[in-house]
Every structure is written in C-alpha cells, then in structure tokens.
Amino acid sequence: MSKLQAALDEYLAVHRALGFKLRLAGDLLRRFVDFADRKGAAYITSELALAWATQPAAAQPAQWASRLGMVRRFALYCSANDSRTTVPPSDLLPHRYHRPDPYLYRDEEITRLLQAARRLPSATGLRPHTFVTLFGLYVATGLRANEPLRLDRDDVDLVNGVLTIRDTKFGKSRYVPLHPSTQRALQRYAARRDHWCHDLDTPSFFVSDRGTRLTHWCVRWTFVKLSHEIGLRAAGDSRGPRLHDLRHRLAINTLLGWYQRGVDVERHLPQLSTYLGHAHITDTYWYLTATPKLLHYALRHVERSKQGKRP
C-alpha cells in the first residue's frame, strides 16, 4: 500500500467518524490515488491534481472544479504529515456549479406521464402500478429521486399515513406525512404487490416484476422513455425535464400557495425545509428566486414589509 493510499484511508475514516459519508468523494479520491500511483507520485502537487481533475476532457468545467476541490481538501489533510505536499490554490479552477433552472410541470403533463406509465408492458401486471404509484409519490411528496426506492415495507406506515425516510443525503432521517389520497394510493399498490408477488426476497416497498428492489438507473430509464413518448422530450434529446423537477414543483407550488393566501412565508419556511430534508435553510431560500413568478411575490412581500404593511 502506498503512502497516499494509507493517508486516504485515514482521511476517510476520520471524516466518516465525524458523520460525513463521503460516498462520491471517497470513490473519486481513490481514483485520484490510483492515478498518482500510476504516475509514480508519492505526494500531491498542484500539477498532479490538475492533471487528474481535468479528466475527462469533455466534462463540464464545474465538474473539473468539483474534482479539484475534493483533492484540495485531501491535500490540506496530507500537508500536516508530509511537507512535500502542495495544496492546489483555491482559484486554480474558478468554475462553479450553477443549478439548472427547474422545469415546472403542468398538471396535464403529469396526467400524460401517469397515463403512459399505466400502459407499460409487464410480465406480471405489476409494473404499470409500480410506476404510476412511484411517479405519483414524487409529485405528492417532493421526495428526492432515490428516497422512495430505498423505502422498506416497515418504513411505510399505511395506517397512519407516514413515511420514514432513513439515512438521507445528509445522513439524517425524517418523517414525511402523507395526504389521505396518497395514503390510499400506497395501500392499493401494497395490496396488488402482495397479491402478485409472493415470498419476496427483498423488504423493499416498491418492487420490479422480478420481485427485486427498483434501481435508480431503471427508474430513470423508464422516466426518460416515457418522456420521449409523451413529448416532454423531443426525439433524440438527451436532456430535458427531470424527475428531480417534480421535487422543485412541490416546493415552488407550496411557496406560491402561501404567498397567494397571505401566509407568513419567512416564518413557515423552516417547516418546508424540514419536510424536504434540507440540511440548511439556505437551500430552501433558493426556491424564492427559482421562478420569475415566485421572485415577484417575494419582492412584493419585502416591499410591503418595508412599508409596514401586512403581506
């Protein structure tokens, strides 16, 4: 084992003990160390970090900057034990990730998506019900794309209408209450699943025709296929509306509804942040500028507050 490999093992162990998961960063840093070993490098230099970070050549500059940032933080750790280590300057790759504008699905587009899901072919008859219920759950709850896929049957309280979302993006768990109509939809799906799939080997709530847990790749592939079918994406388009935009839709529509009803948005924003599972309320504040209509309401609220008027 090289010194860099040993340092990386220690770096990951320390940070994970502090509660950081570093799943993606851990995988990428192992690739960096392998790259360094192939180059015969015993310590980190700016040149070595830059050469690795700017791969692949076709990637977005923001992706290069993100990769370099991971190496930079690792280099800071290594520099305490190896004076030969060079920490790459923070402005070496100044590019930053910019969130794509959310796509706001219209009600009729969601209806067409669910109708297309009902027509999916299936060996057992379960697949259409699985995807109709899954896509409907995204719409109704704004869950992240992978969160429903990780639900086990014990995480879905069909009696009280509550989901337990465990070990989420930021290592936290949370409860997500369900609307009665969503609760009934999950009850119907569970009954069909248990009727058609006996002796399941997986505890997963959502299952494939084979009785296995759905994968994120399978769900994304199905969504893209249906998106092309119903015209959400043109033929040949590799980009377009995403599953994650259904989460944006719920957040933005919630905020718009609050403004239109005169609700004190600033006071209730922490509730929405908790519901969505954001680690920081600043992530929820982003939605206030996500669309022109919502930004208009937010600015009008600020102006009225300056004038001492009620929202």
Side-chain angles (χ1 to χ4, degrees):
M1 178 184 292
S2 70
K3 288 186 176 180
L4 273 180
Q5 288 175 327
L8 178 58
D9 287 345
E10 185 179 89
Y11 172 80
L12 294 175
V14 168
H15 282 75
R16 285 168 178 164
L18 293 172
F20 297 95
K21 294 193 176 298
L22 297 184
R23 287 174 180 147
L24 176 60
D27 290 342
L28 289 176
L29 286 173
R30 292 199 184 282
R31 295 181 195 178
F32 167 70
V33 169
D34 289 343
F35 175 82
D37 288 346
R38 291 195 300 272
K39 294 291 186 180
Y43 52 90
I44 300 172
T45 65
S46 293
E47 293 76 16
L48 179 72
L50 186 63
W52 177 80
T54 51
Q55 298 178 0
Q60 295 293 321
Q63 184 177 342
W64 294 342
S66 176
R67 286 160 61 94
L68 184 64
M70 295 176 190
V71 176
R72 186 175 186 277
R73 290 185 285 275
F74 176 45
L76 281 168
Y77 180 84
C78 292
S79 65
N81 298 315
D82 191 338
S83 60
R84 299 173 298 173
T85 300
T86 302
V87 179
S90 58
D91 59 352
L92 187 57
L93 288 176
H95 308 283
R96 292 293 180 266
Y97 171 75
H98 296 285
R99 291 192 184 191
D101 293 335
Y103 181 85
L104 298 185
Y105 290 89
R106 300 189 301 273
D107 289 348
E108 60 92 10
E109 290 174 328
I110 290 174
T111 298
R112 285 192 285 122
L113 176 66
L114 298 181
Q115 288 173 342
R118 289 190 180 95
R119 298 191 295 268
L120 285 168
S122 174
T124 65
L126 182 63
R127 186 178 179 223
H129 298 290
T130 297
F131 280 95
V132 168
T133 308
L134 178 62
F135 291 154
L137 187 62
Y138 286 130
V139 174
T141 61
L143 294 177
R144 297 183 180 93
N146 67 330
E147 288 177 342
L149 310 185
R150 297 171 61 185
L151 287 172
D152 288 341
R153 291 190 287 279
D154 290 343
D155 297 328
V156 183
D157 186 341
L158 295 174
V159 176
N160 297 303
V162 177
L163 303 180
T164 302
I165 309 298
R166 303 182 188 278
D167 198 21
T168 61
K169 181 177 179 180
F170 300 101
K172 297 181 178 181
S173 297
R174 71 187 193 277
Y175 296 112
V176 175
L178 301 172
H179 188 273
S181 62
T182 305
Q183 180 182 351
R184 290 192 294 271
L186 293 179
Q187 289 170 342
R188 289 193 296 271
Y189 172 73
R192 291 185 174 109
R193 179 202 63 211
D194 295 344
H195 177 71
W196 284 324
C197 298
H198 303 287
D199 301 321
L200 289 171
D201 292 330
T202 175
S204 179
F205 184 82
F206 289 105
V207 297
S208 67
D209 269 0
R210 295 174 296 167
T212 58
R213 187 182 296 272
L214 292 175
T215 66
H216 185 267
W217 182 90
C218 167
V219 173
R220 184 177 182 278
W221 182 89
T222 303
F223 172 76
V224 171
K225 176 180 180 294
L226 296 180
S227 295
H228 284 299
E229 182 181 319
I230 66 175
L232 273 176
R233 298 184 183 207
D237 281 356
S238 59
R239 297 181 182 274
R242 308 162 300 162
L243 273 174
H244 198 71
D245 289 319
L246 293 172
R247 177 173 169 85
H248 292 325
R249 179 182 189 269
L250 179 130
I252 290 170
N253 283 351
T254 298
L255 291 169
L256 282 172
W258 284 351
Y259 276 121
Q260 290 166 349
R261 297 197 307 272
V263 172
D264 186 342
V265 172
E266 190 168 334
R267 179 182 175 185
H268 287 83
L269 204 61
Q271 297 175 7
L272 179 60
S273 183
T274 300
Y275 181 86
L276 292 172
H278 285 160
H280 306 287
I281 196 170
T282 51
D283 295 326
T284 316
Y285 270 112
W286 173 77
Y287 285 110
L288 296 177
T289 60
T291 68
K293 187 174 182 181
L294 192 49
L295 180 58
H296 168 76
Y297 276 111
L299 291 175
R300 190 171 71 175
H301 172 78
V302 170
E303 289 300 320
R304 292 176 68 88
S305 296
K306 287 181 180 179
Q307 297 169 11
K309 300 178 181 179
R310 297 183 63 183

